[in-house]
C-alpha cells in the first residue's frame, strides 16, 4: 500500500515536472520567435509633442528592422501616469512598450505619492533613446523680446506658464527657470505639450519652457516669441536665439530626454531584441537626419547605464521637489 502511494506520488511529480518543462520550453520558444505580431508603442502624452514626434520616427524605423508593424498609441494625462499604469499592467510579452519622458522615471515617483504601480518595480528599462534642449518662449502679448526684458516684466505681473502636465520635464524646466530667474509664476498643466503650445499661441498662457522639437515650428512661424534656449550653446534650428546663460542666468542648462521601457518580467531575450533594433534604428541615416532636423541627439545607452542615469537624476529631483515643495494636485 505504501509502495503504491509512493509510486503514485512519483508519477505525479514526473507529470508536473514534464508540464513545467513544456511550459518553460514554450515560453523560451515564444521569446525566440518574437515578434510574430504588431507591437504597440505607447506615447504618454497627446499627439504633436516631442515625445510623440520622436515616437513616430522611432516606430517607422523599428517597423523596418523588426519586420512587424510598430503602432503608436497616445495615452495622455496625469504627467504620463495614465500611460504608465496601462503599460505596467500589460502582459510582459514585448508587444506593449512605452517611450517615456525622463521626468516620468525621475520626477513622478517623488511627486505622486499614491500611484497604483511602481516606476522602480513595474518596468524593465531598455535604453535612453534621445535627448534635446528646451526653448523659453513667450506669448506675443508679452512686451518682452529678450530674457532681461522678460524677467523685468515678470517681476511686475502675476504670469502663468504651461506644461505637458504636472511633473513633466516641460513643467520641471519651467520651475527651474522661474526659480533661477527669481520670478513668481503660476503653473498651468495640460495633457500634452502641443495643447500648451496652442494656448501659448492663442495668448491663453504667458510663457513656456517647451521641448525644442515641438516649439521650433511655432517660433519660426512668428506665432510665439523665442527668448532663449536651455542648452550650453545656441542651436542651428534657431541660430539667432541666445542661450539662457547668454541672456543673463549664468550656468543655466536644462535638457529633456526620452527612454524606452517595457513591463517588468519581460523576458531578457525580448528586451535584448528591442534594444538591438533600437540601436540599429537610431544609428540609421534616416533617423540621424530626422533627429538633427528636430533638434535631438541620439543617446542609446545600455540598460545598466540607463538605470544608473535614472538613479542619479532621481536623487537630484527628490531634493528639488522637497526643497521647492512642489505638489501634484
Amino acid at each position: 500500500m505504501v509502495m503504491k502511494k509512493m509510486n503514485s506520488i512519483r508519477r505525479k511529480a514526473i507529470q508536473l515536472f514534464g508540464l513545467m518543462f513544456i511550459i518553460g520550453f514554450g515560453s523560451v520558444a515564444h521569446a525566440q520567435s518574437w515578434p510574430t505580431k504588431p507591437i504597440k508603442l505607447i506615447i504618454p502624452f497627446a499627439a504633436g509633442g516631442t515625445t510623440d514626434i520622436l515616437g513616430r520616427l522611432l516606430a517607422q524605423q523599428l517597423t523596418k528592422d523588426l519586420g512587424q508593424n510598430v503602432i503608436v498609441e497616445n495615452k495622455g494625462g496625469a504627467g504620463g501616469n495614465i500611460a504608465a499604469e496601462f503599460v505596467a499592467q500589460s502582459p510582459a510579452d514585448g508587444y506593449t512598450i512605452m517611450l517615456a519622458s525622463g521626468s516620468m522615471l525621475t520626477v513622478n515617483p517623488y511627486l505622486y505619492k499614491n500611484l497604483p504601480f511602481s516606476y522602480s518595480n513595474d518596468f524593465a528599462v531598455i535604453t535612453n533613446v534621445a535627448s534635446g534642449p528646451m526653448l523659453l518662449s513667450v506669448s506675443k502679448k508679452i512686451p518682452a523680446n529678450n530674457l532681461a526684458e522678460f524677467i523685468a516684466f515678470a517681476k511686475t505681473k502675476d504670469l502663468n506658464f504651461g506644461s505637458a502636465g504636472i511633473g513633466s520635464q516641460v513643467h520641471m524646466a519651467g520651475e527651474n527657470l522661474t526659480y533661477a530667474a527669481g520670478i513668481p509664476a503660476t503653473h498651468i498643466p495640460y495633457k500634452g505639450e502641443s495643447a500648451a503650445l496652442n494656448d501659448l499661441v492663442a495668448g491663453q498662457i504667458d510663457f513656456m519652457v517647451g521641448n525644442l522639437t515641438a516649439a521650433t515650428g511655432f517660433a519660426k512661424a512668428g506665432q510665439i516669441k523665442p527668448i532663449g534656449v536651455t542648452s550650453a550653446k545656441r542651436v542651428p534650428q534657431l541660430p539667432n536665439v541666445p542661450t539662457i546663460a547668454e541672456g543673463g542666468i549664468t550656468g543655466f542648462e536644462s535638457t529633456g530626454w526620452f527612454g524606452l521601457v517595457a513591463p517588468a518580467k519581460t523576458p531578457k531575450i525580448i528586451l535584448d531584441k528591442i534594444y538591438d533594433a533600437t540601436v540599429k534604428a537610431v544609428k540609421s541615416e534616416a533617423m540621424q537626419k530626422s533627429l538633427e532636423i528636430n533638434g535631438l541627439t541620439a543617446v542609446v545607452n545600455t540598460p545598466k547605464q540607463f538605470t544608473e542615469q535614472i538613479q542619479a537624476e532621481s536623487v537630484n529631483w527628490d531634493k528639488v521637489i522637497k526643497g521647492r515643495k512642489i505638489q501634484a494636485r
Side-chain angles (χ1 to χ4, degrees):
M1 189 72 178
V2 174
M3 286 298 295
K4 282 186 178 181
K5 185 177 287 188
M6 290 180 64
N7 288 336
S8 175
I9 293 172
R10 188 177 294 113
R11 281 195 301 272
K12 288 179 179 178
I14 292 171
Q15 289 171 352
L16 180 61
F17 176 80
L19 180 61
M20 291 174 64
F21 177 81
I22 291 170
I23 292 173
F25 181 79
S27 298
V28 172
H30 164 76
Q32 289 177 336
S33 63
W34 184 94
T36 58
K37 62 180 182 180
I39 301 156
K40 285 192 292 188
L41 175 59
I42 304 301
I43 304 299
F45 302 100
T50 301
T51 318
D52 178 69
I53 293 169
L54 176 60
R56 292 179 188 279
L57 292 173
L58 181 61
Q60 290 176 2
Q61 202 62 42
L62 287 177
T63 294
K64 297 177 183 179
D65 296 335
L66 291 172
Q68 289 288 344
N69 286 330
V70 178
I71 302 166
V72 170
E73 187 173 319
N74 297 85
K75 287 185 178 294
N81 292 329
I82 291 175
E85 182 179 357
F86 174 81
V87 174
Q89 295 175 355
S90 295
D93 56 9
Y95 292 104
T96 302
I97 57 178
M98 179 172 66
L99 183 64
S101 67
S103 62
M104 290 173 62
L105 304 174
T106 61
V107 174
N108 285 7
Y110 303 101
L111 198 58
Y112 294 87
K113 301 299 183 183
N114 298 305
L115 293 173
F117 63 92
S118 166
Y119 275 102
S120 59
N121 297 326
D122 292 336
F123 295 98
V125 301
I126 301 172
T127 184
N128 182 339
V129 177
S131 66
M134 308 183 90
L135 178 69
L136 167 62
S137 303
V138 302
S139 164
K140 293 181 70 176
K141 71 178 184 180
I142 301 296
N145 295 301
N146 57 52
L147 185 61
E149 291 177 358
F150 169 68
I151 292 174
F153 179 76
K155 288 182 177 180
T156 67
K157 301 289 182 179
D158 184 17
L159 300 185
N160 57 44
F161 69 98
S163 80
I166 297 173
S168 66
Q169 53 197 19
V170 178
H171 172 206
M172 302 312 292
E175 294 283 359
N176 268 344
L177 187 282
T178 57
Y179 178 79
I183 57 176
T186 301
H187 173 230
I188 309 296
Y190 290 78
K191 288 188 177 181
E193 187 175 12
S194 59
L197 281 166
N198 287 332
D199 267 9
L200 182 63
V201 171
Q204 298 300 310
I205 55 176
D206 299 314
F207 71 96
M208 181 173 169
V209 185
N211 287 293
L212 182 72
T213 305
T216 296
F218 295 100
K220 286 184 175 180
Q223 295 175 298
I224 56 178
K225 292 192 286 187
I227 296 296
V229 291
T230 64
S231 50
K233 297 180 180 179
R234 296 192 185 195
V235 297
Q237 290 80 7
L238 297 167
N240 295 323
V241 178
T243 66
I244 297 295
E246 285 178 309
I249 303 180
T250 305
F252 186 90
E253 190 173 351
S254 182
T255 302
W257 56 263
F258 313 86
L260 275 180
V261 300
K265 299 182 181 179
T266 300
K268 186 177 182 301
I269 189 172
I270 293 177
L271 295 175
D272 288 344
K273 287 184 177 183
I274 297 172
Y275 174 79
D276 292 341
T278 302
V279 172
K280 183 179 179 182
V282 172
K283 289 185 176 181
S284 68
E285 184 177 352
M287 189 81 172
Q288 287 287 325
K289 287 182 178 179
S290 295
L291 290 174
E292 183 179 352
I293 290 170
N294 285 285
L296 294 168
T297 302
V299 179
V300 286
N301 52 8
T302 66
K304 182 176 182 295
Q305 291 169 330
F306 191 22
T307 298
E308 291 171 349
Q309 176 189 356
I310 292 168
Q311 291 173 341
E313 291 189 21
S314 293
V315 171
N316 176 64
W317 282 120
D318 184 27
K319 292 178 181 177
V320 171
I321 290 166
K322 289 176 180 176
R324 299 185 197 171
K325 298 180 181 179
I326 301 171
Q327 295 180 337
R329 294 183 296 276

